[in-house]
Amino acid sequence: MNVPLMLDGTAFGSASLPSSWNATPRVIDGGGSGATLVWSSPSGANSLNVQVSSAYGSNHNVLNGGNAFDPALALPQSGCSISANEGAVYPFTCSGFQGFVDTNPAVSGAVTVWTVGPNGSELSYILNSIQLSSSALASEGQ
């Protein structure tokens, strides 16, 4: 089934999930700078996580005087590493899960998408089905 990726009533993409999965995500509030949407399999063993971080700093090192662009700042946990640069998309791997960061130097945030669970083929299909638009990220200074 195709589900919209929405935050605060604004659609910013879509994902294709197995029909057995819950079509309504659990929403984890990001404290004013976004949120994480979590869809899971019936058993809860597999999940799709979509984190929208609108905060300046999720892709820029605000502690660095030059505010250098660094998409790795949007990775979901330590131990993850970006494996490639595919335009504004940065695939990454971690122990037990995989995903990508969608960001660029002209925006003040990032969308981080990852899957977790033992069903690798199903999760790869879901991850590859993700379509994002740029509406989730505001331009810097806005």
Side-chain angles (χ1 to χ4, degrees):
M1 77 183 135
N2 203 34
V3 296
L5 306 178
M6 295 185 74
L7 188 61
D8 296 329
T10 302
F12 61 91
S14 64
S16 184
L17 300 177
S19 59
S20 60
W21 283 40
N22 189 344
T24 304
R26 181 170 54 100
V27 179
I28 303 167
D29 191 346
S33 66
T36 302
L37 309 174
V38 182
W39 289 264
S40 56
S41 63
S43 69
N46 298 290
S47 67
L48 167 66
N49 303 267
V50 179
Q51 179 179 26
V52 178
S53 180
S54 57
Y56 183 79
S58 61
N59 62 3
H60 292 75
N61 185 348
V62 294
L63 301 177
N64 177 333
N67 291 332
F69 172 70
D70 183 0
L73 294 172
L75 293 173
Q77 70 180 36
S78 62
C80 298
S81 61
I82 289 178
S83 57
N85 176 350
E86 299 172 1
V89 176
Y90 300 85
F92 67 86
T93 56
C94 301
S95 178
F97 60 98
Q98 62 180 345
F100 64 87
V101 175
D102 185 321
T103 189
N104 68 71
V107 297
S108 61
V111 176
T112 306
V113 178
W114 70 98
T115 56
V116 181
N119 191 336
S121 59
E122 180 177 79
L123 295 174
S124 290
Y125 170 80
I126 293 168
L127 194 60
N128 290 329
S129 78
I130 302 290
Q131 299 290 319
L132 297 176
S133 68
S134 59
S135 62
L137 304 175
S139 295
E140 279 185 36
Q142 289 187 350

